Amino acid sequence: MPPDAIFYVPAREDAMKGPDGYLAIIQMMRTGFPDIQWTLKEMVAEGDKVAARFIMRGTHQGSFFGFPPTGKTIEVQAMNFYRFSGGQIVEEYGQPDMLGLLQQIGAVPSS
């Protein structure tokens, strides 16, 4: 990916940039869920854009958004939207089910 690639993530006002930004996103997820796995379920492409639906699974073994580890497992969906240029990702909007994730670790009450 190019150094000026942009990655938008929930709960962050500013976009992450370039390979370092992308690695910071992965590090944030792996800190909270060291065994996290993303399983691609569907993908649709048109022109320079790709939409992908994933299932994220992992165990809450580290601090995540300030919430201490609970040992609880998560399984939530995520929708990511990518834009490509020259065969590289230049923009990504990551949209995991953060409410579902936070409910599953007990950080937010379930209704």
Side-chain angles (χ1 to χ4, degrees):
M1 68 188 63
D4 59 347
I6 300 171
F7 302 95
Y8 299 96
V9 295
R12 276 196 65 97
E13 192 171 311
D14 298 327
M16 308 292 281
K17 297 198 188 243
D20 289 341
Y22 185 77
L23 291 174
I25 295 166
I26 298 301
Q27 179 64 33
M28 176 189 66
M29 294 304 298
R30 290 230 180 263
T31 296
F33 306 91
D35 62 346
I36 195 161
Q37 294 182 356
W38 290 268
T39 303
L40 180 63
K41 300 306 274 184
E42 295 180 82
M43 185 168 42
V44 177
E46 183 175 320
D48 65 347
K49 294 187 177 65
V50 173
R53 182 174 69 89
F54 299 89
I55 300 294
M56 296 184 341
R57 293 179 182 92
T59 309
H60 186 212
Q61 298 174 343
S63 181
F64 184 73
F65 278 85
F67 296 101
T70 61
K72 295 181 178 182
T73 59
I74 60 150
E75 183 174 315
V76 296
Q77 290 194 63
M79 280 293 303
N80 289 7
F81 299 91
Y82 303 92
R83 187 169 60 84
F84 285 78
S85 179
Q88 295 182 313
I89 296 172
V90 295
E91 188 174 37
E92 176 197 42
Y93 286 87
Q95 297 296 316
D97 177 7
M98 288 298 290
L99 177 59
L101 187 155
L102 293 173
Q103 286 175 332
Q104 289 176 36
I105 65 172
V108 173
S110 300
S111 37

